[in-house]
Each structure stands twice: as C-alpha cells, then as structure tokens.
Amino acid sequence: MARALPIRSARTATPSRRRARWRRWLPGYLFVLPSTAMFAIFLFGPVIWSLLLAFQDASLTQREWTGLDNFRGLLDDRVFRKALRNTALFAAVTVPVNLLVALVLAGLMKPLAARWQTFFRAAYYLPAVTSVVILATVWRWMFNPRFGAINQLLDLGPVPWLARPNLALWAVILSAALTIPAAGVVMYSAAMGSIPGDLYEAAGLEGAGPVRQWWDITVPLLKPTTLYLVVMYTIWAFEVFERVYIMTGGGPAYATTTIVQLIFDTGFRDWQYGVASAQAVVLFALVALAAAVQFRWLRSDVQY
Amino acid sequence: MSLNRRRALKLLAAVPVVPAALRGEAAAAQDGTPVASPGASPVASPGATPGASPAASPSVSLPPLAYTGSLNWYQFGYTPGGATAASQLADQAVAAFQQANPGVTVNIVGVPFEGGQQTLDTALAAGGSDAPDIFRIASDRLVKYAAENLAAPIDPFLTDADRADIYPNVLAGVAYEGQHYAWPLWVPPVGVYLNPEIFAEQGVELPGDDWTFDQFRQAAQTLTFEREDGTQVFGFAAAIQPDIINVWAFLYADGGEVLSQDGSTYTFDSPQAVSGLQKLTDLAVTDAVTPPEFGNQMLADVIAAFKDQKALAMYLGASGDIATYVAENIPFEVRPMPIGAAGEHVTVGGLGTFAVRRQDDQARVEAAMRFGRFLTSADVAAAVPGYFLAPPARQSIPIDPANAAMRKFGEMVPFTRLMPQTPAWGQVSAAVNAQIQAAVTGAVPPEEALSIAGEEVTPLLEQG
C-alpha cells in the first residue's frame, strides 16, 4: 500500500530541489546572459522602439503619438507605392532566378571530382566575399552606354540602361540575377552530397535517366534547403539598397527607388523617424507574409 | 541595413577609378551643392593661397568674453594632427582664436563626411558636455535645426558691420521665420566649366561672360562631334541627382523659382520654369548634345568625362572642382550661366555656414557665437592664409587675383540664388529632381513633369 509523503517533508524537499536545480542551471544561464543581454539591448530593444515610433510623429527632438496616421500617409504616398512595386519586382525576379542558377550549378558540380567541386565552390563564392559596392560599381561601368561591356557585347549602340525610367530597374535586376548566388550554390552542393547514393542506384535500375533522377529525387530531397534559401533570398531581396544606390541612386524618376533606400532617406535625411519606422514595419510585414507563404508551400518532412 | 549612404560613398571612394569626384560629392552635401565642398578638399584652392590678404575688414572691437572653458567644434573631415590641408587650416584658425581669447579652449571633433551627419545629429540631440557648441552645416539643412530648436539665432551677436559686410542674398540664405540661424562662411555658385582645348579643336571661340542661352546652345551643338579615333565628344553634361540642384540654374535663368519667397508655395510650375526645363530637355532630346546617360549621370562620371576622357566640352559645377584641375594641370575655363529669358545673370548655389547649438549656458553660447563670427570673418582670413576655399560670404574678404577661376565664381555670388528655407527641403529637392530626370529623358513633357513635382511638393509645404 502506497503511503503518501507527509506534507511537511514535501515542502521541505522542494526548496532543496530548487536550489539543486538552480545550481545546475546557473552556469548555463550565465553563459547565455551576455549574448541575451546584447540581443535585448541592441536588437530586440530597437525593434520594439521602432515599432512604437511607427505610431508617433517623431523627429530628432520631438515625439507625439499619432496612432495610425503614419500608415495612412503611406497609403497616399506615391513614392512609397513606387518603391514597394520596385522592391517586389526585384524580389519576384531575382529570388527564383538565383535559386534556379544555384540549383543548376550545384547539380553540374555534383558529378565532378572532389577537388574540382572544391575549386568551383571557391570560385563561385568569390562574389560573396566581394563588397556589393565594388560589384555594383563594376556593373555600373558595364552598363555605361558609351564604353560599357553590355552594349559592346550586344552591339546595340549607346543604350542608356541606367538612365531610362523603363530600363533602369531591369538593368539592376539583371545585374543581381547574373551575379552567382554563392550561398545557394554551396548549400545546394552540400545538401546534394548528403543524399544517399542508393536512391539513385535504385532509380537507375528502374530505368530512370539522369533528368528524371534529378527531378524526382534530387529536387524533392532538397526541399528543406530550398525553403531556407527561398526565405533568405527573399529577405535579402527586400532589403536591397547598396546595389541600387551605387548603380542608379534610386533614379531616374524613382524608377529604381527601393523601400530600404526610402526608409534611409525618410529617417536620416528628413528626420521623419515615425514615418520611416512605419515604412520599416510594412517591410517587415511583407517579408513575414512572404516567409509564411513560403513555409506553407515548401514545408516538408523529408528525412533520409 | 548594413550600409548607409555616406558609407557607400566612402567605400566607393576607395575604388581607384572613381577617386576625388565622389569624395567631393560626399562633401558637397555640406554646402547644399553637389560639387565638392571646398572645405572638404584636401588641397587648398589657389584662390586662397598665402598672400591673399583681406581688404578693409569690418572688424569691430569686442569686449572680452565672460566665458572661460572649452568649446566643442564638430568639423566634417577633420583629422587630428594636421593630416590634411583642411585640418591644418582648422588647427591654425583655432590657434588664432585662442590667442585672441585666452580663456577659451576649442576642441575640434572630427566627423567623417561618410556617416558624419548622423553622428552630428545624434550628438546635438543628446546634448551634454560633449555636444557640439558650433558645427558646420549647409544652409539648405539649417532650417531643420532651427525648427527643432537645435540652432541658436545669431541676431543678438550680429553687428551692423556684419550685416553690411555679408552679401544680402547670403544673409537671407540663413534666415528662417525672421531670424538668422548661422554664420555664413562661403558660397559655391554653379557656373559653367569649359574645356578650351575642345573649343579650339572645333574652332569655337570661348564665350564672354555675358553669353546667352542661344550662344550656349549653338556652342554645345558645334562641340558635339566624333573624333577621328572614334571618341564621341559631347557639348554639355550635368549631374541630376536627388540632392543636386545644378541644372535648376536653367529654370532660374528663365525666371523660374522653385518656391515662393516665403517658402510656402511651389512655383516651379510657372511658365518661366517650364521654359527653362524645356531648354534643358531640348539639349538632351532634340539636340542630343548630352551623353546618352544624361538624366541619371553621376557627378563623378561627369567630371571623369571632362577631366580624364577629355570627351566633354562644358558642364555645370561649383568652385570646388578648381583645386583638382589646378593640381592635375587640367586645362579649364569658367563662365557664368548663360543669360536666359530673365535677361540677367542668375545662378543657383549652396551656402556653407557655422551654426551654434542652442543651450542654457548663455556665456558659452556667446563664446561659440564669437568663434563662429571669427571663423567666417576677415579676421580668420588674415590670421590663416589660405583659409577660404570658396568665394567668401563677406564682401570684405578678397579672392586671390591670381586665381581667375575662383574670382569668376566670386563675381557670381551677388546673383546666386540660394534655396528657400523649408524644413522639407530634402524631399522638395528629391521630388523636383526626379521629375527633371523624367523630363530630360523624354519620359514626360517638361510642363507635366513640373506639375507632377508640384503635386508631391505642395503637401510637404502644407505640413510645414
């Protein structure tokens, strides 16, 4: 027959267990404390502060609560709408192109010997360790209508790619699409390397050719990597700034102005920190929405 | 965001092929003009070489300062130890001031051109003992500081001699709601740089100062040609960017004004302004005397075409480029803007100033005001040879007679139109320039472009 512990002994045992637990966990908490504090002070705090600012008329020295006025103002802001369209178009084109290029390049590297894979990974990763400013400057020269390589190669005459409102954004998009997506290549390459070879052997025995194997085995099994890359590339695309700023300055006639550039100008040029924060909140909401859709679309329980 | 605008320019400046011009562009924002702020130039302009002695200085005898202690001077581009020519000039100016005011010590706080504006703004907003007492600011940004009660009015310290000495249009350029908020330092007006070798190559005589727009247009047409080696030379170019107002000189030359005198109404949709923009558009679209990238051409590219490629006959720029051309022995001439329909010389320009932070310690404010006045006066010109790197804001400070180009810019100061004071200036400038870009690229007719700009600007002005 089981006997219940006296209440007193249970009470006296709990604090000692707590102390033991505390002694066990304390070092762990102490180890994470610095990074948690840094995160709270320098990242989480400013994010919350920015969220609060979005509902205020905030300048350098003055603040006043204005509710949703900043968001209502954005609805009527022609430049903001233009920047939204530009950014969305940039993301809509560059994200799938970058993914496809990364997937194809990683697929082409897969049959190569290990040393050649290493060589190509390093070569493809070079753009990632090169400043975007440098890359964008080179692209600006390449699009120069008089002596740029693009017009020379295409023999089109002096097409002013970056100076015409109907061409400038497409030129910027082209520059991003033609820059090898280094992270994607490396991650896809690593993911492909971890797919068991017997899956391909079995498919081969069943008569599947290389394309069928790639489409029915490789692509589905890369879904977790694809999901990660889609989300990350979408975030990077929505945050595009340096490339556009260097290549076109956001012009001509707002043709290449992006949301982040607008946030920068609104905040630091115009001192309208409330409006800039509202723009940032909208950007955050868009990225979060895109990520949610992507998670829903690409989520999988792939295990192998 | 990992890269801000100034940082982008700083990194760009590290690229060997686009050197001085972009550094100049970064500096330009300090004076509200696109071209290199002379104050930022590492090379002292010959216009201010030793030997330029001030003429009749309106120096007034001022009582000793009640304040003893330190002042913080936030100066763009300053590096301690005299690492640059501009830094040496700042050090010498401080030494001269401290000698005249023994109880005051001036600490120069160098802020970089890239990102320095945010540093300055943050320091001003934070206040405290390390906050700036005096700082450099372009007149087109000044009003924001005045409106936010960060800049103190200089009127109580502005003597009659100062008022008589400072060009009236320049003094008006620091006025906001009936008070003046900064000590005007210098004025880099927009003029036309000419390449005399290209003029000679095509047998075109160099124009006089009183040239008209028709003469300018004809010259630009003749100077647009292809050399035997295949190099295409263009007659004219100018940078059009959100914060660059150089080409507005065409609109002003025909009688246009961006805003009403009190800054409350958008007026660039007037027939005069439309006429000026039509002329500019015709140069690009009808005459094709501009490079194909005109409309979104970066300032660095314009200067490179003029200086390095020798493929540009004329461009609009301010006095900041003189130092570079003299240092590199580049042949150039300077002329005022061609006379337009207004029938008189008109140009636009920026204004470099020193503002004093508003604070409770009135003795400290007075000391900072005294220092601001010194930094912009004939006294500093006398004490620090080579101090003025652009046409001074005061009539009493002469320009070196040997520097013809700088003197030419100096002659433009009286008819230079400084931009009206409105807290929304950055947005106004960006909105107008976006539509000028649309017009000169042929995307939108000039009249419609300036009307669209008005639709964007008017609500900004109404918000105050």
Side-chain angles (χ1 to χ4, degrees), chain B residues 429-444:
Chain B
S429 171
V432 171
N433 276 320
Q435 295 312 317
I436 290 179
Q437 287 179 325
V440 301
T441 54
V444 179

Side-chain angles (χ1 to χ4, degrees), chain A residues 144 146-147, chain B residues 195 197-199 201 220 223-227 229-237 288-293 297 301-315 330:
Chain A
N144 187 289
R146 288 173 291 134
F147 52 79
Chain B
N195 183 328
E197 291 181 346
I198 297 179
F199 274 71
E201 196 175 344
L223 296 168
T224 301
F225 64 100
E226 188 174 332
R227 292 196 178 107
D229 64 359
T231 306
Q232 178 65 49
V233 178
F234 291 96
F236 173 71
V289 301
T290 57
E293 65 268 35
Q297 201 173 8
D301 294 335
V302 173
I303 292 174
F306 183 83
K307 180 170 73 77
D308 303 324
Q309 298 150 18
K310 305 280 194 288
L312 182 58
M314 300 184 283
Y315 80 93
I330 304 292

Side-chain angles (χ1 to χ4, degrees), chain A:
Chain A
M1 185 177 165
R3 199 174 54 167
L5 284 171
I7 292 173
R8 176 178 288 186
S9 90
R11 278 180 181 164
T12 53
T14 303
S16 68
R17 249 188 269 137
R18 277 186 189 149
R19 276 196 298 274
R21 239 182 271 152
W22 185 243
R23 273 197 299 273
R24 187 179 161 198
W25 291 345
L26 183 62
Y29 281 120
L30 287 177
F31 276 120
V32 298
L33 181 64
S35 62
T36 306
M38 297 285 272
F39 173 81
I41 294 168
F42 294 108
L43 197 65
F44 191 67
V47 167
I48 297 298
W49 183 240
S50 172
L51 188 65
L52 293 174
L53 279 181
F55 298 95
Q56 299 175 50
D57 179 8
S59 66
L60 196 62
T61 59
Q62 295 152 14
R63 284 199 307 276
E64 184 187 351
W65 191 265
T66 54
L68 293 171
D69 282 1
N70 290 332
F71 294 95
R72 285 194 202 99
L74 291 183
L75 292 175
D76 299 329
D77 189 336
R78 192 174 62 86
V79 180
F80 180 71
R81 290 200 304 269
K82 179 79 174 166
L84 264 184
R85 278 199 299 273
N86 292 341
T87 310
L89 182 59
F90 181 88
V93 178
T94 58
V95 172
V97 169
N98 281 337
L99 279 176
L100 188 65
V101 170
L103 188 59
V104 169
L105 287 177
L108 291 173
M109 282 164 52
K110 189 166 179 271
L112 299 178
R115 61 178 176 170
W116 284 111
Q117 286 196 29
T118 306
F119 169 78
F120 281 111
R121 269 192 208 126
Y124 291 153
Y125 210 77
L126 268 180
V129 296
T130 308
S131 164
V132 176
V133 175
I134 304 296
L135 293 176
T137 304
V138 172
W139 275 107
R140 186 156 68 88
W141 292 333
M142 289 175 66
F143 278 117
N144 187 289
R146 288 173 291 134
F147 52 79
I150 302 289
N151 284 344
Q152 302 282 341
L153 286 171
L154 300 178
D155 197 21
L156 287 175
V159 177
W161 296 96
L162 302 176
R164 292 293 173 270
N166 57 339
L167 290 179
L169 184 59
W170 288 106
V172 174
I173 288 172
L174 189 65
S175 77
L178 292 180
T179 302
I180 291 176
V185 173
V186 170
M187 292 197 68
Y188 269 139
S189 180
M192 282 179 187
S194 63
I195 297 175
D198 50 6
L199 294 177
Y200 293 100
E201 280 176 33
L205 289 172
E206 296 291 334
V211 174
R212 184 72 187 271
Q213 289 179 22
W214 186 78
W215 184 251
D216 283 343
I217 298 174
T218 309
V219 173
L221 293 184
L222 290 177
K223 270 179 90 175
T225 308
T226 301
L227 173 60
Y228 172 78
L229 288 174
V230 164
V231 172
M232 293 312 294
Y233 277 135
T234 303
I235 292 171
W236 292 335
F238 270 96
E239 289 181 346
V240 63
F241 172 66
E242 299 96 325
R243 179 182 296 277
V244 173
Y245 180 73
I246 299 298
M247 290 181 68
T248 65
Y254 302 125
T256 57
T257 300
T258 60
I259 299 180
V260 172
Q261 184 186 351
L262 200 60
I263 292 171
F264 180 84
D265 285 342
T266 306
F268 296 109
R269 182 194 66 194
D270 306 329
W271 291 1
Q272 294 185 348
Y273 297 110
V275 178
S277 295
Q279 292 168 343
V281 168
V282 172
L283 174 64
F284 171 78
L286 285 175
V287 172
L289 181 67
V293 170
Q294 290 159 350
F295 265 99
R296 188 165 182 80
W297 181 46
L298 286 169
R299 71 180 171 191
S300 66
D301 301 319
V302 173
Q303 286 186 359
Y304 48 85

Side-chain angles (χ1 to χ4, degrees), chain A residues 133 245-246 264, chain B residues 2-13 113-115 118:
Chain A
V133 175
Y245 180 73
I246 299 298
F264 180 84
Chain B
S2 61
L3 187 73
N4 64 28
R5 182 176 287 221
R6 302 280 182 203
R7 184 162 165 73
L9 285 166
K10 183 181 181 182
L11 292 169
L12 252 183
F113 286 110
E114 300 82 10
Q118 286 79 52

